[in-house]
Amino acid sequence: MNKKYLFILSLLLPPAMTNAQENILDMTTARDADTSRKWTLHDCITHALNNNITLKKNNVAILSSKEDVEQAKAALLPSLSASTNQSIGWRPWNEAGVSTVANGTVVNKVSKTYYNGNYALNAQWTLWNGNKNRNTLKQNILEANKAELDSATNANALKEQIAELYVQILYLNEAIEVNRQSLATSMKNEERGRMMVEVGKMSKADLAQLTAQTKQDEYNIVNAQAETEKAKMQLKQILELQGDMTFDIVIPEKNDHEALANIPALQTVYEQALASRPEIAGSLLNIESQKIGVKIAKAGKMPQINLTGGMGTSTTSMNNHGGSYQLKTNFDASLGLSLSLPLFDNRTTKTNVNKAKLAVIDADLDLQDKRKTLYSTIEGYWIDANTNQQKFKAAQASVESMQASYDLLSEQFRLGLKNIVELMTGKNNLVTAQQNMLQSKYMTILDIQLLKFYKGEEI
């Protein structure tokens, strides 16, 4: 959760000086002239769910698991195979041959090369193998359902990431406006300072401080714009958009009321998250799947009963009867029942059973860990939401007070009643209060939205 504060802290660090107001105006004009599509948060999430590569890989895994289900279903049915063998033989010292009668004369033909043909149809059906085949089907169905839940878990993580970046961009956009207002004020103070220097009411050293303040505000705007573009780039990457594609988001109206909304109760959010979050449901399915795995492992010491059947025939050139006659007279069919009983398998079955039982324990521990992590995450959002909401309320009053104080300082400075240090201190205090208000406002909005998301509502 500390990551979501990094982009705010980066704006509060002491910056270095940079270029003048023309560059700022050029960047602003270029940005405002962009007529590309504006993306809402809903647009971003919908596009990411349809195009994100990780989710596409999850869909491939789901299809693969469904193929395993179909394979397990087919294993319950008998198998059927057909085969044929055609061969040519050579007996160089063969003296016996095939005798035939032609025009009353017996002809004895000795052939050293002969031809054989075999044709067979075989079937096998596993009637009983300790219910291993049926339990395998049940397990594969659970694994297919779990694959879908894993995909939903990744989708939720993607939604959270998009929401954080989207709110980050909203914050930075408003921070830019605050810095523009600060720059406008600094420019007025600098112009007023030049006039006071001309009439001898201010030293050039004091004017230099006013100029430095203007340059600082210019840098703050450039820095905020750079941070905004960086956040947009990260969001584009998540949305799998082309790098050269222009991208911007919809900036909603002032949303102070969202930061003052009621915060959902911690226990209510947690209980509803337990019932709706896919990672919890996936862990429950995993426990059930591992329990079936124990049954599958135990089937290794059960008897196996197979029903077999087959039919076949053959032909050969060394017979004086025709091929159709040979196919008929050489035909045979069989039906059998086989029983296989494992007596000693070098501890293989026992090892498999013990490892399957350990897998059940591991799956149960994984569920406990996910529940603990879920509660910790929700509690963190809940604490942050309450803390930031109180900060926002206090910051609103602070900004109002600092604005009134600075307006009074500006007027007193104009009349020569306040010096440059007092004026700049008042302005810095106002900007700090405004930044604190923005930070607490957007952090509150984000935390409340995430609490609602964990509660089961869509972002």
Side-chain angles (χ1 to χ4, degrees):
M1 288 181 47
N2 293 331
K3 291 182 178 180
K4 66 181 183 178
Y5 294 100
L6 293 179
F7 68 93
I8 292 174
L9 295 177
S10 66
L11 295 182
L12 303 180
L13 295 176
M17 287 296 175
T18 187
N19 279 331
Q21 305 152 9
E22 290 81 6
N23 294 332
I24 300 170
L25 294 176
D26 290 342
M27 291 179 64
T28 303
T29 303
R31 189 195 66 173
D32 293 340
D34 183 10
T35 58
S36 63
R37 170 187 174 185
K38 304 287 186 179
W39 294 67
T40 65
L41 178 57
H42 177 74
D43 292 336
C44 293
I45 291 176
T46 300
H47 184 86
L49 294 179
N50 293 328
N51 296 276
N52 184 262
I53 292 178
T54 300
L55 295 185
K56 287 182 177 180
K57 288 184 176 181
N58 290 153
N59 290 334
V60 173
I62 292 172
L63 294 176
S64 178
S65 63
K66 289 182 178 179
E67 288 297 320
D68 292 336
V69 172
E70 296 302 318
Q71 177 62 50
K73 288 180 179 178
L76 299 176
L77 303 175
S79 62
L80 181 65
S81 63
S83 64
T84 181
N85 178 39
Q86 310 295 321
S87 63
I88 297 176
W90 182 48
R91 294 181 178 179
W93 296 281
N94 184 27
E95 296 180 355
V98 178
S99 298
T100 59
V101 179
N103 299 322
T105 303
V106 177
V107 179
N108 186 28
K109 181 181 179 182
V110 178
S111 178
K112 297 183 179 182
T113 303
Y114 64 93
Y115 171 81
N116 286 333
N118 294 290
Y119 311 90
L121 193 64
N122 296 292
Q124 180 174 329
W125 188 13
T126 300
L127 299 179
W128 171 259
N129 62 351
N131 265 342
K132 181 179 179 179
N133 50 3
R134 290 171 176 81
N135 285 325
T136 299
L137 173 59
K138 293 178 182 178
Q139 189 178 53
N140 287 345
I141 291 174
L142 290 175
E143 291 299 321
N145 293 335
K146 184 176 178 297
E148 293 182 352
L149 291 172
D150 290 342
S151 179
T153 299
N154 290 333
N156 282 344
L158 185 65
K159 291 178 182 178
E160 288 186 48
Q161 192 176 5
I162 291 173
E164 290 182 2
L165 283 172
Y166 198 92
V167 173
Q168 176 182 347
I169 296 172
L170 291 179
Y171 165 79
L172 291 168
N173 183 78
E174 194 161 343
I176 290 173
E177 296 304 320
V178 170
N179 288 326
R180 282 175 177 162
Q181 295 174 11
S182 177
L183 174 61
T185 301
S186 295
M187 292 173 65
K188 290 180 180 179
N189 289 338
E190 183 182 5
E191 182 62 28
R192 185 182 304 156
R194 288 195 180 93
M195 296 174 62
M196 295 176 70
V197 168
E198 291 177 358
V199 297
K201 291 185 177 181
M202 178 183 289
S203 67
K204 291 184 177 180
D206 289 341
L207 176 60
Q209 293 186 53
L210 291 177
T211 301
Q213 182 65 61
T214 300
K215 300 301 181 182
Q216 180 67 63
D217 289 339
E218 291 173 359
Y219 174 81
N220 290 341
I221 292 176
V222 174
N223 186 53
Q225 288 175 332
E227 290 295 325
T228 303
E229 294 304 316
K230 183 178 179 180
K232 289 179 181 179
M233 178 195 68
Q234 294 174 346
L235 187 53
K236 282 174 61 178
Q237 291 175 344
I238 295 176
L239 299 181
E240 307 294 346
L241 297 177
Q242 295 295 329
D244 58 349
M245 176 180 175
T246 55
F247 176 82
D248 204 352
I249 68 171
V250 173
I251 305 299
E253 297 295 329
K254 298 295 183 180
N255 45 18
D256 290 0
H257 64 282
E258 295 184 32
L260 299 174
N262 291 330
I263 300 174
L266 172 60
Q267 194 61 31
T268 299
V269 175
Y270 177 63
E271 290 175 357
Q272 294 187 3
L274 283 178
S276 62
R277 294 291 291 186
E279 61 266 32
I280 301 300
S283 293
L284 291 171
L285 284 185
N286 189 39
I287 293 175
E288 189 175 350
S289 175
Q290 298 306 325
K291 288 180 179 179
I292 294 178
V294 175
K295 296 180 181 180
I296 294 175
K298 288 181 177 179
K301 57 185 177 182
M302 298 287 185
Q304 180 168 321
I305 302 174
N306 293 322
L307 179 65
T308 60
M311 59 182 66
T313 187
S314 62
T315 61
T316 178
S317 62
M318 299 181 67
N319 194 307
N320 55 3
H321 294 289
S324 60
Y325 179 84
Q326 292 185 54
L327 289 174
K328 179 180 177 181
T329 57
N330 292 340
F331 175 82
D332 68 76
S334 64
L335 182 65
L337 193 65
S338 66
L339 173 64
S340 174
L341 181 62
L343 298 178
F344 181 70
D345 63 355
N346 304 97
R347 203 181 182 274
T348 300
T349 300
K350 185 175 181 180
T351 299
N352 292 338
V353 171
N354 290 341
K355 293 181 72 173
K357 289 179 179 178
L358 292 174
V360 174
I361 297 174
D362 184 70
D364 185 69
L365 292 173
D366 181 70
L367 174 62
Q368 295 180 38
D369 183 65
K370 280 187 169 62
R371 285 173 173 169
K372 182 182 71 174
T373 301
L374 179 64
Y375 185 85
S376 176
T377 301
I378 293 174
E379 184 179 33
Y381 287 139
W382 186 82
I383 292 174
D384 288 343
N386 281 278
T387 301
N388 287 319
Q389 191 176 73
Q390 294 303 316
K391 287 182 177 180
F392 176 62
K393 292 177 181 178
Q396 283 182 311
S398 176
V399 168
E400 184 178 349
S401 174
M402 290 296 178
Q403 185 66 59
S405 174
Y406 181 71
D407 290 342
L408 180 59
L409 279 172
S410 296
E411 180 62 23
Q412 291 176 328
F413 175 75
R414 187 181 68 83
L415 298 174
L417 301 176
K418 295 292 182 179
N419 59 37
I420 186 65
V421 175
E422 293 172 309
L423 178 67
M424 295 182 64
T425 300
K427 182 176 180 296
N428 290 334
N429 290 338
L430 174 60
V431 172
T432 299
Q434 290 172 330
Q435 291 176 337
N436 290 338
M437 184 180 70
L438 289 180
Q439 174 185 344
S440 57
K441 179 177 80 170
Y442 281 102
M443 288 302 96
T444 304
I445 292 173
L446 177 60
D447 292 329
I448 291 177
Q449 289 299 321
L450 290 177
L451 284 173
K452 291 180 178 179
F453 180 57
Y454 275 81
K455 192 179 176 183
E457 301 178 16
E458 285 296 327
I459 293 181

